[in-house]
Amino acid sequence: MKAPDGATTGNSVTGGAGIAVGERRLHPITPLRRAWAPIAILVGWAVHDPDGAQRQVTSLATTTLLLGLAGLLVSAALYGFLTWWFTYFAVTDTELRIRTGLLFRRTAHIRLDRIQAVDVTQPLLARVIGVSKLKLDVVGTENKDELAFLGADEARALRAELLARAAGFAPETAHEVGEAPVRELVRVAPRMLAVSLLLSGGPWLALMGAVAVPAFLWFLTHNVWTVLATALPLVGAAVTSSAGRFIKEYDWTVGESPDGLRIDHGLLDRMHETVPPGRVQTVRIEEPLMWRRRDWVRVELDVAGSTNSVLIPVAPRALAVGIIARVLPGVTVPESLSRPPRRARWCVPLWWRGYGFAVTDTVFASRHGLLRRSLSLVPHAKVQSVRLLQGPWQRVHGVADVHVETGANNTVPARMRDLDEARALLASQAERSRTSRKAARPDRWMS
């Protein structure tokens, strides 16, 4: 995906300052983002050797210290400016090309037909300034390529152009396609999100630990400073974990567009993400214990080559099932699942009741968990391999596990099935996957 250092940009006509025709620079505010690198090196040295750093600073005269700080600021500004000046990007007929490097040139060639998602991110300060960061999910790469920063309008226009080009539109018409229209499907109310976090159990367990651990330390030491030094971080962690999720998932909106499902969220840092069509490997429906009276669920995804994982942080089950049908067309969530045979209790006491399994014409469905239920749905066309596993204790009681593996390097098991049922499932699932892949639609944008 990326060319080695020193790779050329191909046959391109160059204009002034060595910039190829059609190439563009990032937003002029970008140098401020990169200028911190020299300062970070100095801070890292000071943290690594604080005594030596203090001796060096105290030994300098005031004039020398001021000149040094001025030189550091100038160096940081020059570094930020040069890294920005020698960074260009261009959209050609077949790829997005990004050139970087002052001494060692580096060119990234991102094929347009391999782009599966283009996300727009706006950190808080970027929102104030009016710039955005463009992140690209590309098939076959773990890390996202990014362009930071672009003007907010330019980022949206470039995103629309890249999606149109990835969909197969001709270069001369891609600009005319514009941003695909979005129809809102669901918006999570802040009150519902806050209540769901309080009912999830995690904050309360953390607070219980923040109370129990300091109390135990007080019983042992009777030292108030030891108790405070332990209690404050624990309480802070319990509060910030929930507050962080609330800030990140605030105003969560899911919309439908021709290029996939659009997800917008964030109170401080605003995120605009896309669930690529046809790339979803697994859908998980999470149901914490204290959500069941309200019939609320959380929906998560495994997307091949993407870090996007949450589809809906909280929603009524009926609404969530409707959204899942948009992600996996033709798929219905099984209403009832079969439990393992009763003899499985000797292999997994008590917890065996949380296991469930079902196979429909479209999905392999498996559930686990008693306190927090998790139902995984794997479309047959996304199953890459099927395995039967049986431990020594399982052989004694005639049960086995059947594991299906997907393209997202994820494994979904059907636990504690009757041995004859597991063997039959192994053969039938392999056949279902083979025939489903032949009938599956191609993973294309705006299809």
Side-chain angles (χ1 to χ4, degrees):
M1 190 60 62
K2 290 189 177 180
D5 292 353
T8 62
T9 58
N11 298 324
S12 57
V13 180
T14 58
I19 304 177
V21 174
E23 287 189 334
R24 290 176 279 175
R25 285 196 176 96
L26 302 175
H27 194 276
I29 201 67
T30 305
L32 296 179
R33 171 181 179 256
R34 300 179 175 180
W36 62 268
I39 300 176
I41 295 174
L42 186 62
V43 172
W45 166 75
V47 172
H48 178 72
D49 186 13
D51 294 335
Q54 183 179 6
R55 288 194 301 269
Q56 292 287 345
V57 171
T58 54
S59 65
L60 296 176
T62 303
T63 303
T64 304
L65 183 59
L66 292 176
L67 290 175
L69 291 175
L72 177 62
L73 293 177
V74 171
S75 299
L78 183 61
Y79 174 81
F81 173 79
L82 291 177
T83 55
W84 167 77
W85 184 259
F86 287 95
T87 299
Y88 320 109
F89 70 94
V91 183
T92 69
D93 291 346
T94 58
E95 64 186 14
L96 170 64
R97 185 180 300 156
I98 305 174
R99 292 201 296 151
T100 58
L102 173 59
L103 300 178
F104 300 97
R105 306 297 294 163
R106 185 176 185 87
T107 304
H109 300 268
I110 304 171
R111 285 172 46 188
L112 297 178
D113 60 354
R114 303 288 286 178
I115 294 176
Q116 62 177 9
V118 182
D119 301 334
V120 178
T121 304
Q122 282 190 300
L124 178 60
L125 185 58
R127 291 174 63 187
V128 174
I129 299 174
V131 296
S132 300
K133 181 187 299 185
L134 210 65
K135 293 185 176 182
L136 300 99
D137 269 339
V138 182
V139 177
T141 60
E142 296 182 359
N143 298 323
K144 291 186 178 183
D145 292 280
E146 68 176 30
L147 292 171
F149 287 97
L150 300 170
D153 294 336
E154 183 183 10
R156 286 192 293 268
L158 180 58
R159 178 188 184 277
E161 180 182 358
L162 290 175
L163 295 184
R165 298 283 292 278
F169 286 90
E172 57 272 12
T173 60
H175 291 284
E176 303 173 2
V177 174
E179 187 81 5
V182 181
R183 183 172 67 90
E184 183 177 306
L185 298 178
V186 59
R187 182 185 295 270
V188 179
R191 180 179 179 276
M192 185 178 188
L193 178 62
V195 172
S196 71
L197 291 175
L198 292 176
L199 295 179
S200 62
W204 301 109
L205 291 176
L207 286 175
M208 288 173 60
V211 172
V213 173
F216 180 71
L217 289 177
W218 174 258
F219 176 76
L220 293 179
T221 65
H222 292 282
N223 188 317
V224 67
W225 297 111
T226 300
V227 172
L228 289 177
T230 305
L232 291 179
L234 290 175
V235 173
V239 173
T240 55
S241 62
S242 298
R245 274 189 58 181
F246 180 83
I247 291 172
K248 181 180 179 181
E249 297 175 354
Y250 179 84
D251 193 30
W252 193 284
T253 306
V254 180
E256 186 179 39
S257 73
D259 53 27
L261 291 184
R262 301 275 186 85
I263 300 175
D264 300 318
H265 61 94
L267 178 61
L268 301 180
D269 296 352
R270 195 66 182 165
M271 305 286 291
H272 308 271
E273 302 173 346
T274 305
V275 177
R279 302 295 299 176
V280 176
Q281 308 293 307
T282 308
V283 174
R284 284 187 305 279
I285 303 175
E286 304 283 343
E287 189 180 13
L289 177 63
M290 290 187 287
W291 289 16
R292 295 177 193 172
R293 290 187 59 187
R294 297 172 179 263
D295 202 24
W296 289 354
V297 297
R298 175 183 177 90
V299 182
E300 299 179 350
L301 306 173
D302 287 324
V303 182
S306 175
T307 57
N308 298 343
S309 61
V310 180
L311 178 61
I312 311 174
V314 58
R317 178 183 293 275
L319 180 59
V321 169
I323 301 299
I324 292 173
R326 305 280 184 175
V327 177
L328 303 175
V331 170
T332 57
V333 179
E335 293 292 336
S336 61
L337 293 88
S338 63
R339 285 185 175 180
R342 290 186 60 84
R343 61 182 180 274
R345 69 184 185 276
W346 300 110
C347 299
V348 188
L350 184 63
W351 297 106
W352 70 278
R353 295 180 178 274
Y355 296 129
F357 166 74
V359 175
T360 70
D361 293 337
T362 53
V363 293
F364 176 100
S366 178
R367 185 188 66 200
H368 70 273
L370 279 177
L371 300 181
R372 184 185 179 94
R373 294 176 182 166
S374 179
L375 174 63
S376 297
L377 306 174
V378 184
H380 296 314
K382 301 302 181 181
V383 175
Q384 301 295 317
S385 64
V386 189
R387 294 180 295 131
L388 187 148
L389 300 179
Q390 190 180 36
W393 199 241
Q394 288 177 309
R395 287 199 294 270
V396 172
H397 296 284
V399 294
D401 300 338
V402 177
H403 292 241
V404 299
E405 297 180 350
T406 70
N409 296 323
N410 183 47
T411 300
V412 176
R415 297 290 311 278
M416 300 298 162
R417 309 311 305 175
D418 179 82
L419 182 57
D420 292 336
E421 178 192 9
R423 288 171 175 168
L425 177 61
L426 182 69
S428 62
Q429 184 59 50
E431 178 62 21
R432 288 192 192 96
S433 301
R434 184 181 63 82
T435 55
S436 297
R437 280 194 295 269
K438 288 183 178 180
R441 294 182 299 176
D443 298 340
R444 294 293 299 172
W445 292 103
M446 303 180 183
S447 56

